[in-house]
Structures are given as C-alpha cells and as structure tokens.
Amino acid sequence: MSGIASLELRGLVKRFGGLLATDHVSVTIAEGELFALIGPNGAGKSTLIGQIAGELMPDEGEILIGDQSITGWGVVARARSGLGRTFQIAQTIDAFTTLESVVLSRRSGSLSPTGFFAPLLGDKEILDIARETLNVVGLGELTQLRVDRLSHGERKQLELAMALVRQPRVLLLDEPMAGMSPGESETMAQLLSELRGKCTIVLIEHDMDVVFKLADRIGVLASGALIAIGSADDIRNNPLVRASYLGEEEIT
Amino acid sequence: MTTLIITQVLNGLQFGLMLFLIATGLTLILGIMDFVNLAHGSLYMMGAYATATLVAKGMGFFPALLGGVLATFAVGVVIEVVVVRKLYRRDHLDHVLATFGIILAFNEVVRIIWGPVGLTFDPPEQFADSVDLLGFTYPAYRLLVIGMISLVGAGLWWLVTRTRIGMQIRAGATHPEIVSALGVNIRALKTTLFALGAALAAFSGALIGPLRSVQPGMGEEVLIQALVVIIVGGIGAIRGALVAGILLGLLDTLGRAFLPLMISRFANPEVAQAVGPALASMMIYLTMALVLVFKPAGLLPATGK
C-alpha cells in the first residue's frame, strides 16, 4: 500500500446533459511526478478532479492508480487504495486540535474493530508520526491548538498534513494556495517543492508563478479537453494555450 | 420530613438520570445526523420487552439486560438500513412521518406477540431490598440504576470525545467530504450511531422495567419527556442532556411530592388537592417554555462542532 504510484487517465468523458464537461482526457502521470493542471474558469478542472477523487463517475474511460483500475470505485475505496487529497476550500474540523486531526487522518481507513474503540491519542508511535508530519508542514509549534483558532493559511497546511500522514500513493491538491496571503503562499510553495519526487502529485492552482516554477509537466484544460501537455517552457510558448487564456490572465 | 426530602431528591435524581439516558441517544442522532427519530421510544419499549422476556425464560437480570440491549442494537441496524438510511436527505417532516409509522407498527407487533396486558419483572435478587443509607432506608435497585446510568453516561462521553470512532462520528457529521476522503465509510458509521442510540434506549427501558410495568405505548410518554430534555439541554449536547435531565427529573419528582403541600399553606385543601398534582405534571413543560423564551438554543448547547 505504501510507496508511490502512477496515475493514469484513459479517454475520460463526462457529459452533463448536452455539455461535454470532460472531453476524452488521457494522460499518464509518472511516479513521483508533480503534474499541474491549469485552465480558465469553466474549463472542467473541478469535473476532472471529481472523477479522479471518485465523487463523479466518468461516462467513458478508465482511471488507474499503478496497475489497478479504480474506475468504478467510490471515494472511500479510492482513499483506502492510497489516494490522498486536499480541497479547494480547506476541509478541517473545528472542534479538534491539529494533532487530533492528523492522528484521526492517519488512523482512519484502518478496519481493525478493536481500533475503533481505542483512545484516539493512545498510540505513541502514531503520535510521533503525526507530530513529525505537523513539523514538516510548519505547524510543529501548534499541535495543541484547536483548529478553529488557526488562520486560513494554517488550515491549508493542516489539510496537507492530514493528507500526507496517510502516505498517499497519489496526492490530489485542489488549489492549495487559494485565498492565501503572499507570505502563506510562499510557505506552501516551499512545502510543495520539498514534496517533489516523494509523492505523485496532481496540482490544480491558479497561481501561475507557482505552477511554472514547481511543476514537472503542465496540462492545460480548455472546454473539457487537454489541449496541451508539456514543460513550463512548452506551455508558455504554445499559441493554443495563449488563445484559450485570452481575456483571462497573462501568462508570464 | 428530612428523610422524605432526601428520598424524594434521590428519586428525582434517579428519574433525571433516566431521562438523560433516554434523551442522550435521541440527541446524538438528532444533533449529529440531523435525523428526528420518534421511534426512539419504541426502541426503549423493545429493550424493556426483550429483557422482560429473557428474565421470564429464567435468565439472570444482568445477562437478560445485556441480551435485551444487544437485540435492540440489532433491530436498530435493521431499521437504519431498511428505513432511516433513505431519509437522511429528506426534511424533518418525512423523518417524523416515517418514524411515527414505526411507532404504530411496533406497538401493534408488541400487542400481537405479548398481548395488551403489561409484563413485570423483578430487579436482581441482590438489589431487591432496601438499604440503610445514613439512617434512612432506600430501595437498593434505585441506587443501582443511579450507579449504572452514571457509568454508562461516563462511558458514552468517553466514547464520543476520546475514541477514534467517536471522533470519526463527530467529524463525519460536519465534514463528510473530508472524512470520506480519509477512507471512512460514513454510511456504516451512521448505521453504527443509529444502532448505538437504539441500544441506549433499550438500556433505559430495561432498567425501568422493574420500577414500572412493561406495556405497549410505554415509549410514547418517555419520548415526549426526552424531547423536552433535549430542548431544555440543547440539541446534540450530551452535557446539556445530563443537566436538563437531572433538572427536570428533580423538578417533576419534587413538584409531585411537595407542590400540593405548599399550595395547601395558602389555599384550602380541596383546591390544593386539585391544583397541586396538575401543576406538578406541568412543571417540565413550563420549564421548557421558559427555556424556549429566554435561551432558545438550550441551557448548554453543543459547542464548536
């Protein structure tokens, strides 16, 4: 279960009525690759993410983690098979401390019946792993703080810690910098660059500077289709990409 | 007089803890799953009947109690899977209609199986008598009830606030997306919580069995009182249910014992005899009305979900 794995999308199609929200998307994201997905608003990023996460089922096509097809699987089964994720709007649990959140994340998904009734914070080994992970994301000093006292940026960091502590084989990051202050963004960018190579990452992010700096490859989504895949330079110089972004924002 | 007061306070405490235990299953299901379960009283009745039947078959009180609770847990699982699960996304009116249907069905089934006449069963032998308590006597079984509910209440608090399943249940209620993304099966979690509520109701029903008679419809009266406890304590709050349960239990019991006496001080005995009990039985509802006016969220609402 541990270790990292590739993520492969094969000819994914998703229709909403007459709208083709995902238009035959195929891409293989290699083990340890940081793959960024960009595209103007309404390009179908959320729909594609939903299909990878298991919230939406594709109408056609296949999704594989490593050699394993997970196409028909639900959210829970995908999580158990090693898919980790963060959300566009940080999903953290106000009433818990940061440490409790991370421990809960680490221990969830295990099915041992006795474990259910064990005290959450009873296992020292897991506590150490959780503290270490909080350290990694920069929350090492705040283990006893209740989540509702955290700043927006810290919540995003916590969410990342909750995903990382499960040692995901594939990690889905849905706009990790959304709504962050410049300082917070920088911390997060630093963190992501440290994760490079340790984890297969799909990154959705509006901050183009970060995307161009961090991503091994970038995929550009427009009207549901992947219109370009390539390195930062390839994408910058691609006329098709420029055209699809017209009126959106300048790609520098 | 002092003895009478102490006895009545203990009675009130015992009744209050009982109310707490019944209300707590209801309040967890309402607060965490946002589901209105009117059938809670029926599960209470089910626990009482199952335990009474096992005792009648010659089982000891405690094994029968455990059997009754486990049987009702299983019934809770079935009800959740067959009926309740389909209703979470609907509004409260649908919850009320469906679970009211379950009440009617349960009462009828109980009449068919056990007949319209109530059952009775005895407390465990070791607790059948009264004990000497600092110079006055008190039924040992009522003390046992106070002790057992305190233990179960403490265990429940620990389960919900400290254990992994409790944390998952609380997290899953407010943040189902993230909890699913962590690989937790929310559906199974909800089934477990519903069945846990059923088991708590059954436990109260079984405990009350030796004190009152076990009969069809016994769940409805208690359901109303439990709803009052929830409203007074604050929806979803175990602590609130504890405080409100004890408060209302004391008010009700002491009111019934002493209001007629107090009224007779300044009115003629006939009036006191008429007004006293009537006023006493209204006490908990009056309290609820006051709480609704001055603290609509309840005395100790659940904080920071």
Side-chain angles (χ1 to χ4, degrees), chain A residues 75-76 79-80 83 85 87 91-96 100 104-105 107-110 112 115-120 146 162 166, chain B residues 158-159 161-168 170-171 174-186 189 192 303-305:
Chain A
V75 173
V76 172
R80 287 189 185 151
L83 181 74
R85 72 169 299 188
F87 293 80
Q91 297 282 322
T92 48
I93 300 143
D94 283 354
F96 294 178
E100 283 169 343
L104 184 73
S105 179
R107 299 187 63 182
S108 290
S110 127
S112 100
F116 275 117
F117 299 102
L120 183 76
R146 257 178 67 127
M162 289 170 72
R166 303 177 60 239
Chain B
W158 184 77
L159 181 78
T161 60
R162 290 288 180 272
T163 66
R164 187 176 117 207
I165 190 165
M167 303 286 271
Q168 283 175 347
R170 288 194 298 148
T174 48
H175 295 82
E177 303 90 353
I178 177 73
V179 176
S180 307
L182 298 179
V184 177
N185 186 339
I186 300 251
L189 212 55
T192 311
T303 49
K305 277 200 197 167

Side-chain angles (χ1 to χ4, degrees), chain A:
Chain A
M1 195 69 119
S2 58
I4 53 181
S6 60
L7 174 71
E8 187 178 350
L9 312 180
R10 279 187 199 157
L12 285 191
V13 172
K14 180 74 192 173
R15 294 185 186 88
F16 294 115
L19 177 77
L20 196 56
T22 303
D23 184 0
H24 299 88
V25 168
S26 294
V27 60
T28 301
I29 299 161
E31 287 177 17
E33 182 177 3
L34 200 164
F35 184 87
L37 197 59
I38 64 171
N41 287 326
K45 296 193 295 288
S46 297
T47 307
L48 190 56
I49 285 296
Q51 289 169 81
I52 299 173
E55 290 164 350
L56 295 172
M57 290 299 150
D59 295 320
E60 286 171 34
E62 238 187 317
I63 304 172
L64 296 96
I65 290 185
D67 298 330
Q68 172 95 59
S69 168
I70 58 165
T71 312
W73 297 16
V75 173
V76 172
R78 288 186 196 198
R80 287 189 185 151
S81 77
L83 181 74
R85 72 169 299 188
T86 66
F87 293 80
Q88 198 172 348
I89 297 162
Q91 297 282 322
T92 48
I93 300 143
D94 283 354
F96 294 178
T97 66
T98 59
L99 186 65
E100 283 169 343
S101 305
V102 176
V103 171
L104 184 73
S105 179
R106 170 80 185 197
R107 299 187 63 182
S108 290
S110 127
L111 290 173
S112 100
T114 50
F116 275 117
F117 299 102
L120 183 76
L121 302 179
D123 189 326
K124 193 166 174 313
E125 199 180 321
I126 291 178
L127 277 180
D128 287 342
I129 295 171
R131 288 206 182 91
E132 174 58 33
T133 311
L134 281 166
N135 253 334
V136 168
V137 302
L139 295 176
E141 305 290 312
L142 305 177
T143 55
Q144 296 306 320
L145 204 62
R146 257 178 67 127
V147 171
D148 53 7
R149 311 260 314 269
L150 296 180
S151 72
H152 177 76
E154 285 164 347
R155 281 169 195 246
K156 289 273 196 186
Q157 284 161 265
L158 174 61
E159 212 191 6
L160 184 60
M162 289 170 72
L164 285 178
V165 79
R166 303 177 60 239
Q167 298 178 319
R169 300 159 77 203
V170 173
L171 182 58
L172 215 53
L173 301 176
D174 196 353
E175 298 197 25
M177 280 119 180
M180 278 189 161
S181 70
E184 289 172 337
S185 286
E186 201 155 311
T187 312
M188 184 58 81
Q190 181 62 34
L191 247 168
L192 295 186
S193 76
E194 282 163 20
L195 286 178
R196 283 181 66 173
K198 294 179 188 162
C199 198
T200 307
I201 297 178
V202 182
L203 171 70
I204 291 93
E205 183 50 56
H206 277 300
D207 186 332
M208 291 304 153
D209 292 340
V210 171
V211 167
F212 283 119
K213 205 168 88 192
L214 291 180
D216 296 312
R217 279 190 307 160
I218 299 169
V220 184
L221 211 56
S223 307
L226 263 182
I227 55 168
I229 300 176
S231 69
D233 285 336
D234 296 343
I235 297 297
R236 262 194 209 102
N237 301 323
N238 187 319
L240 209 56
V241 174
R242 288 182 166 270
S244 82
Y245 261 92
L246 221 61
E248 278 282 329
E249 52 190 296
E250 194 66 20
I251 298 184
T252 47

